[in-house]
Amino acid sequence: MSKQVVLRRVQGYKDSMVTSDAWLPPFKEAVDKHVNWKQTGFIHIDSNGFGLACEACRSNKPASIQITLSSNDRFSDPTVLYLGTECCRKGEMYHHFYHFQQHMYQKVKKLVDSVRRKRKESTTEAIFEHLLSKGYVYKLTKNVKKAFNDVVMIYNLQGQRARVDDLSSSEDE
Ligand SMILES: [Zn+2]
């Protein structure tokens, strides 16, 4: 049930607040396709204001950040894009929510693998207890709440702030 609550909110934020009508379809396709988003450079705009335009949207705003989108398989090539600051910030949040389950899976898998290796724990219960007692579950939960809070703080201008609290009050991690 907790998982469904979180996933519904991820979906809702992704489709309403953390998206843009100005985004071009190729940008969204590239973001949806690649699970990894990395900032790989900055672009200096010269004094004449000459530079690249943001490749994410129709606004013709100057691009200032280079990002590289990549996948974990060997079959798809990375995509390099030049973005304006606002499209970069919002795009990264959209990307995080679009790939939320995959990102969470990767993080948890890494933790579980390391407990298995280092502590030779083998049962699911022992591994989960370890992650819980060492605060890893708390940390992951906190990151999810922070991502929701960031969206609400930045993009929800209609004042639905109270909605974030009902997740914070849940003790069921
Ligand atoms: Zn843009």
Side-chain angles (χ1 to χ4, degrees):
M1 259 178 77
S2 297
K3 185 178 166 186
Q4 287 313 313
V5 168
V6 169
L7 291 181
R8 259 205 309 276
R9 187 166 298 185
V10 165
Q11 181 85 21
Y13 284 8
K14 174 178 77 67
D15 294 339
S16 60
M17 288 184 272
V18 195
T19 188
S20 170
D21 293 334
W23 281 346
L24 301 163
F27 171 68
K28 258 192 148 164
E29 281 160 24
V31 169
D32 292 355
K33 184 179 161 200
H34 296 288
V35 73
N36 304 309
W37 169 296
K38 204 170 173 201
Q39 199 164 303
T40 42
F42 292 97
I43 304 156
H44 292 288
I45 301 157
D46 70 27
S47 52
N48 304 317
F50 180 78
L52 290 166
C54 175
E55 292 183 301
C57 69
R58 304 171 222 279
S59 74
N60 227 17
K61 289 206 173 111
S64 54
I65 299 162
Q66 182 199 61
I67 63 153
T68 303
L69 298 166
S70 63
S71 301
N72 295 333
D73 62 74
R74 293 179 291 122
F75 310 106
S76 45
D77 293 324
T79 303
V80 175
L81 292 166
Y82 299 94
L83 309 178
T85 46
E86 183 48 34
C87 280
C88 184
R89 177 164 78 165
K90 202 178 223 182
E92 190 171 10
M93 285 184 171
Y94 170 87
H95 178 264
H96 176 62
F97 285 143
Y98 186 90
H99 296 283
F100 179 82
Q101 287 200 72
Q102 185 66 24
H103 289 167
M104 186 58 88
Y105 174 79
Q106 283 170 359
K107 281 184 212 161
V108 174
K109 186 173 187 307
K110 223 168 137 184
L111 287 168
V112 169
D113 287 348
S114 110
V115 175
R116 274 217 182 100
R117 231 180 13 251
K118 287 186 198 146
R119 296 179 53 88
K120 313 273 182 281
E121 303 279 18
S122 54
T123 69
T124 312
E125 289 78 12
I127 292 169
F128 179 73
E129 275 310 314
H130 180 77
L131 293 179
L132 197 61
S133 68
K134 292 289 174 189
Y136 290 115
V137 176
Y138 173 75
K139 214 177 128 193
L140 287 170
T141 309
K142 214 172 104 180
N143 287 343
V144 173
K145 285 178 189 167
K146 188 183 177 305
F148 289 152
N149 267 311
D150 286 348
V151 170
V152 173
M153 294 288 280
I154 299 168
Y155 295 112
N156 186 8
L157 306 172
Q158 279 81 46
Q160 288 180 20
R161 189 85 55 86
R163 285 199 59 209
V164 170
D165 295 334
D166 53 40
L167 193 73
S168 321
S169 64
S170 165
E171 283 167 25
D172 186 8
E173 293 179 342

